[in-house]
Amino acid sequence: MPEELSARVPAEQRGSGRDDVRLLVSRGTEVTHHTFRELPGQLRAGDVLVVNTSTTLPAAVNGRLGGQRVVVHFSTRGEDGRWAVELRELRAAAAGAGAGTTVPRPGGPPGAVVRLPGGEHLVLEEPLDPEGVRLWWARVSYADVPGLLRRYGRPIRYGYTERDQPLSAYQTVFALPSPDGSGSAEMPSAGRPFTAALVAELVRRGVLFAPLTLHTGVASAEAHEPPYPERFEVPGATARLVNAVRAARPAGGTGGGTGSGMDREGDEVTGAAVGGRIIAVGTTAVRALESATGPDGMVRAASGWTDLVITPRHGVRAVDGLLTGLHEPEASHLLMLAAIAGHEALTRGYEEALKQRYLWHEFGDVHLLLPPESTHTSHC
């Protein structure tokens, strides 16, 4: 991926708004080019967009490890009250400002004390994964870590961005505060281009929304490791809607239509379009929804931790399509994309993205992966 294709600032600072990004649409190996504001024309009444409502935390906090200045990335809160954290070093050019981008450093050692703002500290205890060194479990002296982040934190920022941005730049229109202050260390960025006006237009056209939550941990920006276990929740209403829409399809179809239906648990779904496609907004939404899907293909209300890593061998059961950003060649998320769309379609789409100079990363352009049109069947 050419470095100059990194999106360095949010879309609204490059153009006229959040939705002023490009939309690459892959229907199998057929590729078309659009603006994101044309998304409603790419969907049909009865399609379901599964969206992640996790809010983004200001998860980067300055600290000191002995005489060394470090940045602590707070990733995930464990059930025992500890936090999984990643320590990183400030880039030399940014060190004087006390903010900016960071570079990796080895984790640990056990027992190391990192001083935090406000007179607080954390103690590193053990690696999150015995095979890895990046994320460590740490005990934090201040019990209200989300409060500590609100007071002293800032959004996690990587080297391809031009400058620090306010936390609002990292919140999606779907974000809802959690009662316990939990959230994502990094933005569920596929939902970023949506605006309230675009959501209203999609609803007007009969597109349905199904919310769920997955709190994302700190990504491995350099190593591209598979994601660690993350907390998620799929509400019962979302499970019932997805099941009803899938059950209303004609045999073998992924088409759309309108009307009323019954899900397989006997709950009536009325006044809604049924029989459409289930399209996840972001890889986080796929991970959560597939974690709540049984071997029979039925989605059930679920919450807790998921360690699911989706690959072509594993496949997907509930998701027909995906709206996502563009991922670097080494990114583990590409395995999920291949599981949904297939290697041939994915290769074709990325060839076009490079040729047409699409922008990468969380402030960049987006890619809609749909089944080939030839597999669609209309339902009335």
Side-chain angles (χ1 to χ4, degrees):
M1 192 203 85
E3 186 177 344
E4 64 269 20
L5 295 186
S6 295
R8 303 194 181 281
V9 296
E12 57 270 28
Q13 296 175 22
R14 307 190 301 264
S16 60
R18 279 186 172 228
D19 54 359
D20 193 6
V21 298
R22 298 168 73 188
L23 173 67
L24 179 74
V25 179
S26 293
R27 290 182 174 86
T29 57
E30 177 193 347
V31 177
T32 56
H33 304 279
H34 309 269
T35 67
F36 190 75
R37 291 166 183 159
E38 295 175 305
L39 177 65
Q42 304 304 309
L43 303 177
R44 300 195 298 261
D47 285 342
V48 178
L49 292 179
V50 183
V51 298
N52 187 358
T53 63
S54 180
T55 188
T56 308
L57 300 175
V61 177
N62 290 342
R64 284 191 176 271
L65 177 58
Q68 181 186 23
R69 300 180 67 205
V70 297
V71 175
V72 183
H73 288 176
F74 284 82
S75 180
T76 307
R77 177 165 50 191
E79 296 295 343
D80 60 0
R82 296 186 299 175
W83 278 76
V85 301
E86 177 188 35
L87 299 190
R88 294 176 68 94
E89 297 177 7
L90 282 165
R91 286 184 184 271
T101 61
T102 59
V103 294
R105 69 173 298 282
V113 177
V114 179
R115 287 174 289 159
L116 301 172
E120 304 298 336
H121 68 274
L122 63 79
V123 180
L124 299 176
E125 294 190 348
E126 60 183 341
L128 184 64
D129 180 352
E131 302 297 321
V133 296
R134 187 173 62 89
L135 289 176
W136 280 63
W137 285 116
R139 191 76 62 179
V140 186
S141 62
Y142 190 63
D144 181 18
V145 171
L148 183 75
L149 300 182
R150 287 193 299 271
R151 190 172 307 141
Y152 301 110
R154 61 184 180 275
I156 290 175
R157 174 188 163 205
Y158 292 115
Y160 49 78
T161 56
E162 185 175 291
R163 57 183 177 270
D164 285 347
Q165 298 289 341
L167 183 60
S168 59
Y170 291 86
Q171 302 293 7
T172 74
V173 71
F174 306 112
L176 294 173
S178 296
D180 63 355
S182 296
S184 289
E186 298 186 6
M187 172 178 55
S189 56
R192 190 184 192 279
F194 285 88
T195 63
L198 186 62
V199 170
E201 174 62 16
L202 288 164
V203 171
R204 187 186 72 80
R205 290 177 177 239
V207 175
L208 307 174
F209 285 83
L212 49 70
T213 302
L214 184 137
H215 297 313
T216 67
V218 174
S220 56
E222 292 81 20
H224 297 294
E225 305 159 352
Y228 286 97
E230 294 169 318
R231 291 173 58 195
F232 81 103
E233 180 181 6
V234 176
T238 288
R240 290 191 294 272
L241 175 60
V242 171
N243 290 337
V245 167
R246 291 174 62 84
R249 296 174 182 169
T254 55
T258 58
S260 301
M262 301 283 288
D263 73 6
R264 295 183 190 178
E265 296 177 359
D267 293 321
E268 187 175 7
V269 179
T270 59
V274 294
R277 299 163 296 186
I278 309 301
I279 302 167
V281 177
T283 58
T284 61
V286 178
R287 196 180 197 206
L289 191 65
E290 293 290 331
S291 296
T293 304
D296 58 357
M298 295 293 293
V299 182
R300 295 173 176 84
S303 62
W305 293 83
T306 177
D307 59 1
L308 179 63
V309 177
I310 296 173
T311 66
R313 183 173 181 178
H314 180 279
V316 291
R317 299 188 179 98
V319 173
D320 303 307
L322 172 64
L323 180 71
T324 184
L326 293 162
H327 304 276
E328 293 183 87
E330 302 88 355
S332 61
H333 288 315
L334 289 175
L335 293 172
M336 178 189 293
L337 273 61
I340 294 171
H343 286 289
E344 187 178 1
L346 194 59
T347 300
R348 172 70 177 139
Y350 272 71
E351 287 174 349
E352 281 292 307
L354 287 169
K355 181 180 177 181
Q356 299 297 328
R357 312 287 292 175
Y358 277 70
L359 296 181
W360 259 249
H361 300 305
E362 67 266 31
F363 298 141
D365 299 317
V366 286
H367 188 188
L368 177 61
L369 296 151
L370 295 172
E373 284 291 349
S374 60
T375 67
H376 298 162
T377 306
S378 65
H379 172 65
C380 297

